[in-house]
Amino acid sequence: MAGRPYFSRATFAFLKDLAANNDRSWFESNRERYEDHVKIPALRFIQDFGPVLDGISPHFVAGPRSLFRIHRDVRFSKDKSPYKTHTGIQFRHARARDVHAPGFYLHVEPGASFVALGMWHPVGPALRKVRERIVEHPEEWRAAVEAPAFTRTFERDGDRLTRPPRGFDAEHPLVEELKWKDHLGVRSVPQSFVTDPELPRKLGEMLAAGTPLMRFLCAAVDAEF
């Protein structure tokens, strides 16, 4: 008998309604919907995903801080909408201070849910360490990003430089890899994936396909895997 799903059609209905009514008065009138169909299910999922995550690596954390706040930071944005219209869950490395370190991610949004892993917008020193390790261990890098399990499961994504990064050989065989500013594997998923009662297991199986990449990135920034 299947268990109770974490997220439901009500989750997506709330997020869709929030996108159409992104203001504080509407949100406060619908705060109970947010708590019942987004926040509480997300925290329950995070708790249940913890043992699965440990099976991938014991150095990543599943806890209340894995759930991003629903409030947007509008200080430097022209868009002053106060709320995010998606739910983001990131499982960061235990040594991470922010979202830019190696991590696993689940994004829940009507028509745009996805799973991701890797490093998003790493700070300059960390990105340089990754590039240096690619140069020093090219075969290990190729094995990570060309592994059949990885390429079947994820697509590479992120920002890239148009020219080789400063300080690196423009003729290096992996120069196109050195141009990446992000190191991500991303997989779009349907609503049925997110609402599946077996979400922890299925997400774990998907993320495990990126183990070689995550091990490489962690080694590059001196973090355990």
Side-chain angles (χ1 to χ4, degrees):
M1 182 177 177
R4 179 164 57 105
Y6 299 87
F7 302 102
S8 66
R9 285 183 293 179
T11 304
F12 288 88
F14 171 82
L15 293 172
K16 188 176 293 185
D17 289 346
L18 177 59
N21 303 275
N22 200 331
D23 62 73
R24 288 181 176 83
S25 60
W26 185 90
F27 184 84
E28 288 304 322
S29 298
N30 289 270
R31 178 177 288 275
E32 188 172 349
R33 289 178 63 196
Y34 167 69
E35 295 283 341
D36 291 346
H37 302 303
V38 180
K39 185 176 180 179
I40 292 173
L43 292 174
R44 184 168 65 89
F45 162 71
I46 290 167
Q47 181 178 14
D48 289 357
F49 187 67
V52 179
L53 183 62
D54 283 344
I56 299 173
S57 170
H59 300 290
F60 290 79
V61 178
R65 293 183 62 191
S66 299
L67 177 63
F68 287 125
R69 298 173 69 246
I70 191 71
H71 300 85
R72 295 181 63 246
D73 184 351
V74 300
R75 291 174 297 172
F76 309 107
S77 176
K78 292 182 180 179
D79 179 4
K80 299 302 181 182
S81 301
Y83 302 105
K84 300 170 186 173
T85 56
H86 65 269
T87 295
I89 299 172
Q90 189 193 38
F91 303 102
R92 305 177 193 174
H93 195 279
R95 292 175 54 187
R97 295 183 179 180
D98 53 42
V99 299
H100 309 292
F104 301 100
Y105 180 72
L106 174 65
H107 185 95
V108 178
E109 181 177 5
S113 297
F114 65 87
V115 172
L117 53 76
M119 297 176 72
W120 178 76
H121 291 5
V123 295
L127 180 57
R128 183 171 185 85
K129 285 184 176 183
V130 173
R131 287 170 171 159
E132 289 174 346
R133 187 170 178 84
I134 290 172
V135 171
E136 294 167 2
H137 301 276
E139 294 308 315
E140 183 184 349
W141 177 254
R142 288 192 181 98
V145 297
E146 297 175 5
F150 178 77
T151 58
R152 283 196 305 266
T153 307
F154 295 102
E155 293 185 0
R156 304 280 298 283
D157 197 8
D159 295 337
R160 291 170 59 90
L161 297 171
T162 56
R163 300 175 61 84
R166 185 178 303 175
F168 290 87
D169 183 4
E171 302 300 320
H172 191 279
L174 291 178
V175 67
E176 293 303 317
E177 296 295 311
L178 300 177
K179 291 180 181 179
W180 284 104
K181 297 168 66 178
D182 302 298
H183 288 291
L184 300 171
V186 179
R187 168 76 173 268
S188 296
V189 293
Q191 181 171 319
S192 59
F193 178 90
V194 178
T195 58
D196 193 316
E198 294 293 316
L199 177 60
R201 177 183 63 80
K202 291 191 172 183
L203 179 62
E205 292 173 352
M206 186 176 290
L207 294 177
T211 294
L213 174 60
M214 293 296 285
R215 182 177 287 114
F216 185 100
L217 295 175
C218 285
V221 296
D222 304 314
E224 304 89 345
F225 185 82

